[in-house]
Amino acid sequence: YGGIFKNAMPFMTPIKTMRGLPPFTLVQQFNALCIASLILFGLLFASIVSRAVEENLVSRASELTAGFVQYEVRQALYRDDADLSNENMTPSIVAQRMPSLYFGPDIVRVKVWNASAQIVWSNEQALIGKQFADNNEVKRAFAGAVVSEISETSEPEHEHERQYRRLMELYVPIHLPHTAKIPLVVEVYQGLDTLYADIHRYRLRVWVSTVLGFIGVYVVLLGIMLRASKTMRIQTENLI
C-alpha cells in the first residue's frame, strides 16, 4: 500500500498557485470552484426564470384585455341585426356608441380604425380622422390577428402619449357576429405600472428563492466535502 499511497500523494497535496503565496488545500479549491459555479448558474437560472415570469404575465394581461375589449365593443356597436354590415357601421355610429364604453383605469387611449387605416374614433379628439397607411400592426389586425407589443411611444401616431414611458399596445379585430368580416380594429393602450409592480415582486421572490436555494446546496456539498476530507486525512494517517 505504501507504494500506491506514495504515487497518489501528488493528487492529495496542496497546489501551489503563485510564488510567495500559500498553497490551496483541497477544501479551499472546492470552495472556490463550488461558489463560482453556483454564482454563475444561479445568475443564469434566476435571469431565465425572471424573464419567463415577465413574458407570461404580459402575455396573460394582453389576452385578458383583448378578450374584454372585443366583447364590450361588439356589445356596444352591434346592438341589433340592422347593424351587422360594414356599410351600416359608419363613423357617426361608432362616435355615438364608443364613448359609453369604459375599459378600466389602466386603459389610457382608445382608437378605432377602419380598413383604410384611418382613425374613425378616439378618446383623444385630435386623432380622429388621421390616417397612418404604413401601420403594419393595423394591417395584421385586419387580417384577423390580435397584435400586442410593448410600446415606447416613439412612433408618429404616439404624439399624444409621450407622457407615458411604457404602454402595452393592443390591436383587437372586431369580427361581425357569425361571419369572418372585420369592419373595425380597436387599438387600446394599457398602462403597465401596476403590472410591472407585480412583475417586480415576482422577480424579487425568484431571486431570493434562488439565492437561498443555492446557499442550501452549497452547505450540503460543503458538508459532504468536509466529511470526505476528514476520511482521507484519517486514512492517510493510518497508512503512515
Side-chain angles (χ1 to χ4, degrees), residues 20-225:
L21 294 177
F24 290 137
T25 65
L26 189 61
V27 174
Q28 290 173 333
Q29 296 171 47
F30 170 82
N31 281 337
L33 292 174
C34 187
I35 292 174
S37 299
L38 290 178
I39 288 175
L40 291 176
F41 185 75
L43 290 174
L44 180 62
F45 175 79
S47 298
I48 292 174
V49 173
S50 296
R51 183 62 179 173
V53 167
E54 178 181 355
E55 291 177 353
N56 182 66
L57 290 177
V58 171
S59 175
R60 182 60 176 164
S62 67
E63 291 175 3
L64 290 174
T65 302
F68 175 71
V69 168
Q70 192 168 56
Y71 175 80
E72 292 294 325
V73 171
R74 285 180 59 177
Q75 290 293 107
L77 296 184
Y78 303 112
R79 296 176 181 174
D80 53 60
D81 292 339
D83 292 336
L84 304 184
S85 70
N86 291 359
E87 292 78 11
N88 290 339
M89 193 48 56
T90 61
S92 61
I93 293 179
V94 175
Q96 291 172 9
R97 299 183 181 180
M98 283 297 295
S100 64
L101 295 179
Y102 177 68
F103 298 123
D106 289 335
I107 303 300
V108 299
R109 183 72 65 239
V110 181
K111 304 174 189 176
V112 180
W113 300 77
N114 64 15
S116 300
Q118 183 181 36
I119 300 174
V120 297
W121 184 85
S122 174
N123 58 349
E124 174 58 57
Q125 291 292 322
L127 293 173
I128 298 176
K130 291 189 175 182
Q131 190 171 20
F132 300 91
D134 58 344
N135 192 313
N136 293 323
E137 289 79 10
V138 171
K139 295 177 183 177
R140 290 170 57 194
F142 271 105
V146 174
V147 182
S148 65
E149 61 181 17
I150 303 300
S151 173
E152 301 295 338
T153 67
S154 58
E155 298 295 328
E157 64 179 278
H158 298 150
E159 61 178 319
H160 297 282
E161 291 82 38
R162 298 285 190 246
Q163 69 270 32
Y164 302 103
R165 186 173 63 89
R166 182 168 50 190
L167 298 169
M168 181 163 65
E169 191 173 347
L170 282 173
Y171 295 81
V172 184
I174 306 302
H175 297 267
L176 288 175
H178 313 299
T179 73
K181 294 180 180 180
I182 303 175
L184 300 170
V185 165
V186 175
E187 178 188 5
V188 296
Y189 291 166
Q190 182 175 0
L192 296 177
D193 291 345
T194 302
L195 178 63
Y196 270 86
D198 292 337
I199 290 174
H200 176 73
R201 286 193 291 270
Y202 280 114
R203 278 180 168 174
L204 184 60
R205 292 176 186 175
V206 168
W207 282 99
V208 171
S209 299
T210 299
V211 170
L212 293 178
F214 280 99
I215 288 176
V217 171
Y218 169 74
V219 170
V220 171
L221 292 177
L222 181 61
I224 294 173
M225 183 60 193

